[in-house]
């Protein structure tokens, strides 16, 4: 085992760092040497890096060591990342070889297709770490495969709807990742990226895909990938909450935002299952009108709440005015989400339905109120509500979820009715299965070791 040296490269965004860094920790605990790599600017922002035997860190320049210019088109940034980053990654690989620690496998995520090309030049295997759900990856595979994918070549034709995949629900235009629609501003660079991902896997004689999910949750979606080596290795969450191998491992090990220190005692003072937790992740920014509707819905529901609002806008009314909370609720700039979700006082989670948050809520056995914003979030809430039955969708009117709609969702999940009880049973069932998957002998634990042995 110790002969293996994995290099895992991640975009410096919280939602990308969390699962990739957790995988690096898991590989190091398995006895391998693992180097976590991100950009120079991203690495400077990371704090509280975990210290584990076998885990190391490095950075490469993307040509923007002081950060991407705000006005820069993201597609142009990706071109710079590929051009500058690939050369610097090659230099880093050579340095490891010269130092006596040659890399034996490179693991890359969704915006790093070029890492597979570098690995091929370096004569090392590579693996794609899918940090979205298997259902989303099944949609990509369906649309981009050479044989029948509508997006397999440079085409302006959108797929016909609904999309039918084996043993899966019908996916409407509103259910697939938004960047697959040409009306979406991200489609111009994301459609080529996904096309390249599938092309690389099709041309690789021994393709490897690791997915942050677990067999019992997405067994049907995972069956679609018989021709490529797909392994579910999730949920990629800190050990203290799952396998118990490291009781001190209670966070992913890196926070890009400053968090409040006083919410834990506040949660301790609340009754079991009574608190509504609200967070829309590290990227989504809600309109002021939407935040005010959420606040009024929360106050009118008369349930205690913990709300993460990470915006730095000094004029943010919700964040900077008390609004008569009087202990009814607490607003914080950031928090350790896993610690919050596993706290006994949490009764439900209102989320943007990013895959990390969705999977973490399932692992913690906390039902979800989904309010997706973009990307794969719309696919995740589709699965949550219609397939797994672990939450409900908050439906907006003219782009805003009204307070009455929020109160309706809260009443379902926390009001004691039969539908809410069924949702709680479902999320507990999948939460227990998630814990079984990552423990020694579980499906994800087995799959990760099988992946290592295959190299």
């Amino acid at each position: 085992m110790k002969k293996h040296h994995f290099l895992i490269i991640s975009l410096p965004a919280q939602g990308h760092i969390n699962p990739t860094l957790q995988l690096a920790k898991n590989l190091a605990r398995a006895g391998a040497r693992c180097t976590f790599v991100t950009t120079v600017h991203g690495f400077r922002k990371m704090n509280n890096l975990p210290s584990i035997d076998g885990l190391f860190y490095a950075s490469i320049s993307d040509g923007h060591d002081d950060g991407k210019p705000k006005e820069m088109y993201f597609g142009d940034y990706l071109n710079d990342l590929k051009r500058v980053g690939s050369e610097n990654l090659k230099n880093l690989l050579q340095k490891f070889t010269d130092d006596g620690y040659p890399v034996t496998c490179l693991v890359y995520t969704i915006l790093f297709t070029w890492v597979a090309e570098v690995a091929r030049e370096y004569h090392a295997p590579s693996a794609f770490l899918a940090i979205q759900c298997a259902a989303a990856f099944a949609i990509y595979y369906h649309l981009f495969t050479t044989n029948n994918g509508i997006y397999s070549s440079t085409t302006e034709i959108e797929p016909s709807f609904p999309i039918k995949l084996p043993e899966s629900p019908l996916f409407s235009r509103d259910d697939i990742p938004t960047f697959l629609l040409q009306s979406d501003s991200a489609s111009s660079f994301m459609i080529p990226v996904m096309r390249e991902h599938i092309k690389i896997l099709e041309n690789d004689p021994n393709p490897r895909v690791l997915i942050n999910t677990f067999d019992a949750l997405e067994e049907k979606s995972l069956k679609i990938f018989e021709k490529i080596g797909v392994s579910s290795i999730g949920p990629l969450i800190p050990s203290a909450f799952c396998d118990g191998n490291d009781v001190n491992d209670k966070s992913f090990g890196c926070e890009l935002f400053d968090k409040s220190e006083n919410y834990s005692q506040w949660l301790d003072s609340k009754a079991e299952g009574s608190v509504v937790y609200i967070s829309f992740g590290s990227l989504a920014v809600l309109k002021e009108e939407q935040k005010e509707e959420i606040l009024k819905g929360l106050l009118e529901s008369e349930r205690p709440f913990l709300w993460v609002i990470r915006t730095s806008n000094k004029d943010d009314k919700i964040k900077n005015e008390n609004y008569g909370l009087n202990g009814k609720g607490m607003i914080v700039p950031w928090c350790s989400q896993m610690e919050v979700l596993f706290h006994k006082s949490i009764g439900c989670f209102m989320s943007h339905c990013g895959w990390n948050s969705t999977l973490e809520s399932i692992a913690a056995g906390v039902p979800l109120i989904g309010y997706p914003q973009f990307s794969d979030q719309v696919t995740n809430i589709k699965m949550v509500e219609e397939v797994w039955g672990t939450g409900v969708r908050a439906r907006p009117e003219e782009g805003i979820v009204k307070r009455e709609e929020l109160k309706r969702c809260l009443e379902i999940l926390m009001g004691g009715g039969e539908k809410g009880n069924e949702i709680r049973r479902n999320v507990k069932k999948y939460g227990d299965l998630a814990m079984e998957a990552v423990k020694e002998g579980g499906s994800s634990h087995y799959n990760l070791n099988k992946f290592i042995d295959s190299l």
Side-chain angles (χ1 to χ4, degrees):
M1 173 66 72
K2 291 185 179 179
K3 67 180 181 180
H4 282 304
H5 180 189
F6 293 91
L7 184 149
I8 300 183
I9 188 165
S10 173
L11 197 73
Q14 192 75 63
H16 291 238
I17 288 173
N18 285 359
T20 49
L21 186 51
Q22 193 60 41
L23 175 59
K25 289 153 66 177
N26 291 351
L27 289 168
R29 287 195 187 94
R33 182 185 181 95
C34 192
T35 301
F36 178 87
V37 178
T38 189
T39 65
V40 170
H41 180 254
F43 190 70
R44 287 175 184 158
K45 292 167 60 182
M46 294 172 67
N47 52 57
N48 301 320
L49 292 174
S51 178
I52 297 173
D53 288 345
L55 179 58
F56 301 86
Y57 301 93
S59 61
I60 59 171
S61 177
D62 57 0
H64 301 281
D65 292 352
D66 293 326
K68 179 183 78 69
K70 289 184 179 180
E71 68 279 3
M72 187 178 196
Y73 173 59
F74 194 72
D76 292 335
Y77 169 72
L78 290 181
N79 291 333
D80 286 352
L81 179 63
K82 178 178 181 178
R83 177 177 54 84
V84 179
S86 59
E87 287 303 313
N88 285 304
L89 180 58
K90 292 175 187 177
N91 294 336
L92 183 61
L93 291 171
Q94 186 60 53
K95 179 181 183 300
F96 286 136
T97 299
D98 294 342
D99 292 344
Y101 300 104
V103 171
T104 57
C105 182
L106 288 85
V107 180
Y108 60 96
T109 51
I110 193 167
L111 296 176
F112 287 94
T113 53
W114 49 269
V115 171
E117 301 171 14
V118 173
R120 193 178 303 115
E121 290 182 35
Y122 187 69
H123 304 293
S126 62
F128 171 44
L129 174 60
I131 57 176
Q132 298 178 354
C133 68
F137 189 63
I139 293 171
Y140 305 144
Y141 193 68
H142 171 77
L143 294 178
F144 290 94
T145 45
T146 301
N147 290 338
N148 59 6
I150 190 73
Y151 283 153
S152 61
S153 61
T154 53
T155 176
E156 298 298 323
I157 303 173
E158 285 195 351
S160 57
F161 295 99
I163 293 174
K164 181 69 176 82
L165 301 179
E167 298 188 77
S168 300
L170 293 174
F171 291 99
S172 73
R173 196 175 190 275
D174 296 330
D175 298 328
I176 69 171
T178 56
F179 58 72
L180 295 177
L181 303 172
Q182 291 168 7
S183 57
D184 189 278
S185 60
S187 66
S188 60
F189 56 84
M190 284 306 302
I191 287 178
V193 163
M194 295 315 305
R195 183 184 297 122
E196 187 66 15
H197 270 304
I198 302 303
K199 180 181 177 182
I200 287 170
L201 294 172
E202 286 185 317
N203 293 336
D204 191 330
N206 191 11
R208 295 176 175 88
V209 179
L210 306 174
I211 298 188
N212 184 21
T213 189
F214 57 100
D215 288 354
L217 184 68
E218 295 199 84
E219 182 180 11
K220 293 179 179 179
S221 294
L222 289 164
K223 283 182 179 178
I224 294 172
F225 312 110
E226 294 179 351
K227 295 182 180 180
I228 57 177
V230 173
S231 301
S232 61
I233 59 166
L236 292 171
I237 60 176
S239 292
F241 301 107
C242 51
D243 57 26
N245 287 336
D246 185 354
V247 295
N248 296 315
D249 183 24
K250 293 185 177 181
S251 70
F252 289 97
C254 164
E255 300 288 352
L256 299 181
F257 306 98
D258 294 329
K259 62 183 180 181
S260 171
E261 298 296 337
N262 57 352
Y263 58 85
S264 295
Q265 288 183 333
W266 185 83
L267 288 174
D268 290 341
S269 70
K270 303 305 175 186
E272 183 173 348
S274 66
V275 176
V276 182
Y277 170 54
I278 309 100
S279 176
F280 291 92
S282 59
L283 295 177
V285 178
L286 300 182
K287 299 175 182 176
E288 287 297 316
E289 180 186 355
Q290 179 62 88
K291 285 187 282 191
E292 290 182 11
E293 282 295 313
I294 290 174
L295 179 63
K296 289 172 182 175
L298 291 168
L299 292 174
E300 290 175 14
S301 75
E302 297 186 342
R303 291 184 171 90
F305 61 89
L306 175 66
W307 188 0
V308 174
I309 300 181
R310 52 149 193 58
T311 177
S312 59
N313 182 3
K314 293 181 180 179
D315 296 325
D316 192 323
K317 295 179 183 177
I318 302 300
K319 188 176 178 182
N320 292 300
E321 293 184 19
N322 289 326
Y323 269 84
L325 296 184
N326 295 327
K328 295 178 182 177
M330 187 173 192
I331 295 174
V332 296
W334 197 247
C335 70
S336 294
Q337 181 158 290
M338 290 303 300
E339 289 190 71
V340 170
L341 285 174
F342 276 83
H343 196 283
K344 64 178 179 59
S345 69
I346 299 300
C348 74
F349 177 21
M350 185 177 188
S351 168
H352 64 310
C353 284
W355 182 237
N356 289 334
S357 291
T358 302
L359 192 56
E360 289 160 15
S361 74
I362 290 172
V366 175
L368 198 70
I369 297 175
Y371 181 26
Q373 305 294 300
F374 52 79
S375 189
D376 60 311
Q377 298 162 18
V378 294
T379 307
N380 298 335
I381 188 57
K382 167 87 169 180
M383 303 299 288
V384 163
E385 187 173 49
E386 298 183 22
V387 178
W388 306 321
T390 56
V392 295
R393 182 171 190 157
R395 302 191 179 278
E397 297 178 21
E398 299 179 353
I400 298 292
V401 169
K402 303 295 186 181
R403 69 192 76 172
E404 293 81 7
E405 173 66 0
L406 175 55
K407 288 191 289 184
R408 180 189 72 84
C409 294
L410 290 172
E411 183 60 27
I412 291 174
L413 296 187
M414 302 180 73
E418 180 51 38
K419 184 176 181 180
N421 290 335
E422 181 183 0
I423 289 172
R424 289 190 169 279
R425 287 193 295 269
N426 288 337
V427 75
K428 183 183 186 307
K429 176 188 74 173
Y430 283 117
D432 292 342
L433 290 169
M435 297 302 103
E436 291 178 16
V438 293
K439 288 181 179 177
E440 186 171 354
S443 60
S444 293
H445 181 268
Y446 171 81
N447 290 339
L448 182 61
N449 284 320
K450 186 178 179 182
F451 160 70
I452 296 171
D453 293 340
S454 74
L455 297 173

